[in-house]
Amino acid sequence: MHAEITQIVNETPSTQTFFFDLYLGHVPGQYVMVWIRGVDEIPMSLSYSNAITVQKVGDATAALFKLGKGDSFGIRGPFGNGFSLEGKSILLIAGGVGAAPLGSLAEKAKGNNIRVKTILGAKSAEELLFKKRFDNAGDLMIATEDGSLGYPGLATELVDELDLAKYDAIYSCGPEKMMFRVLNIAEGFDVLSRVQFSLQRYVKCGLGLCGMCCIDPSGLRVCRDGPVFRGDQLVGTEFGQYTRDASGKRVKL
Ligand SMILES: Cc1cc2nc3c(=O)[nH]c(=O)nc-3n(C[C@H](O)[C@H](O)[C@H](O)COP(=O)(O)OP(=O)(O)OC[C@H]3O[C@@H](n4cnc5c(N)ncnc54)[C@H](O)[C@@H]3O)c2cc1C
């Protein structure tokens, strides 16, 4: 499909939201394959039904940042399973651009009268993504690594202070080291099956065909069986240990 950019919002110094002229009716956590013509096709979570929120990291994302209102990109999807919304009281743990798929989950939960608590972490206050969206959806706790707002330190240090058994479901997206720590904390509370993680792996086809994003040893495909997995599906896997680069070679985390 052809998506024309209708609005660009500067969210933080490193992230922008690109709204486009299609409503994809997504389940929060689902992603699209975005084709930046002449450069690459890359996976991006839907941060709204008609938007992606992008952090500039390399060639394709830099090319996206050069586009303006009225420009377009190709889009396929939505793909993947998305988060399954469960219970009456939930906890969201978001780190950096990992907040992208969780913003719309927070809003959906609030709309369903589910109590939402969010722990939002970033390197600095200005890099906190969707602070207002999470604040409007419920209770918000902030952690910044440089101490410029909220708790000075890592988001997972705030998770350490909570009783995870109190929440019907827990959702996490962010750097894999952060999510691995959440997995370990959840294991301590014996609530692994209640935690849903959104994983990032090298996704090329988005259709479950190429095998680039398979998780060892189960072979579950991030693009099609995920990107959301429960904690009990991830224990004893490559999660938190290694990922793979564009050629399929293992890269230690
Ligand atoms: C399901 C899913 C959802 C994502 N959602 C978001 C989002 O909402 N916002 C956001 O900013 N980023 C998101 N990403 C990450 C995003 O796809 C990469 O940042 C992007 O592909 C980088 O491309 P690049 O050419 O700019 O950088 P490159 O220089 O090519 O790569 C920089 C790094 O990005 C990763 N990367 C590159 N290509 C891919 C690829 N095809 N698949 C997965 N990772 C790749 C690799 O770790 C690589 O080392 C998501 C990734 C996945 C798998």
Side-chain angles (χ1 to χ4, degrees), residues 42-45 53-55 57-61 100 200-203:
I42 53 171
M44 282 290 151
S45 305
T53 299
V54 182
Q55 182 171 41
V57 292
D59 288 352
T61 47
Q200 264 200 32
R201 283 293 180 273
Y202 220 98
V203 168

Side-chain angles (χ1 to χ4, degrees), residues 8 11 16 18-19 35 44 55 64 80 92 98 104 119 152-153 161 177 185 203 206 212 219 222 227 241-242:
I8 298 174
E11 304 284 1
Q16 290 187 346
F18 297 83
F19 286 91
W35 175 38
M44 282 290 151
Q55 182 171 41
L64 253 179
L92 312 184
S104 56
I119 294 181
E161 289 167 18
K177 277 198 168 153
I185 301 171
V203 168
M212 266 306 286
V222 169
Q241 311 306 317
Y242 60 87

Side-chain angles (χ1 to χ4, degrees), residues 68-79:
K69 195 174 157 182
D71 289 336
S72 69
F73 44 75
I75 199 163
R76 292 191 288 137
F79 293 131

Side-chain angles (χ1 to χ4, degrees), residues 120-123 142-158:
L120 178 63
K123 287 206 160 47
I142 282 170
T144 54
E145 286 175 42
D146 70 354
S148 47
L149 195 70
Y151 173 80
L154 300 173
T156 46
E157 288 161 19
L158 288 178

Side-chain angles (χ1 to χ4, degrees), residues 5 8 40 53 67 113 152 154 162 171 174 184:
I5 297 170
I8 298 174
D40 203 355
T53 299
L67 300 182
N113 290 321
L154 300 173
L162 300 181
Y171 304 86
N184 289 332

Side-chain angles (χ1 to χ4, degrees), residues 127-146:
E127 285 294 348
L128 289 161
L129 179 61
F130 295 153
K131 186 152 66 76
K132 235 192 214 141
R133 288 179 91 183
F134 293 117
D135 208 13
N136 290 340
D139 183 15
L140 174 63
M141 290 170 85
I142 282 170
T144 54
E145 286 175 42
D146 70 354

Side-chain angles (χ1 to χ4, degrees), residues 14-15 29-33 36 39-47 52-63 97-101 173 198-204 222-223 226-227 243-246:
S14 69
T15 54
Q30 284 190 303
Y31 68 98
V32 286
M33 293 302 291
I36 303 112
V39 186
D40 203 355
E41 191 191 33
I42 53 171
M44 282 290 151
S45 305
L46 285 160
S47 52
I52 51 172
T53 299
V54 182
Q55 182 171 41
K56 191 169 26 163
V57 292
D59 288 352
T61 47
V97 75
C173 188
S198 177
L199 261 60
Q200 264 200 32
R201 283 293 180 273
Y202 220 98
V203 168
K204 281 190 179 170
V222 169
C223 71
T243 178
R244 287 177 194 272
D245 66 14

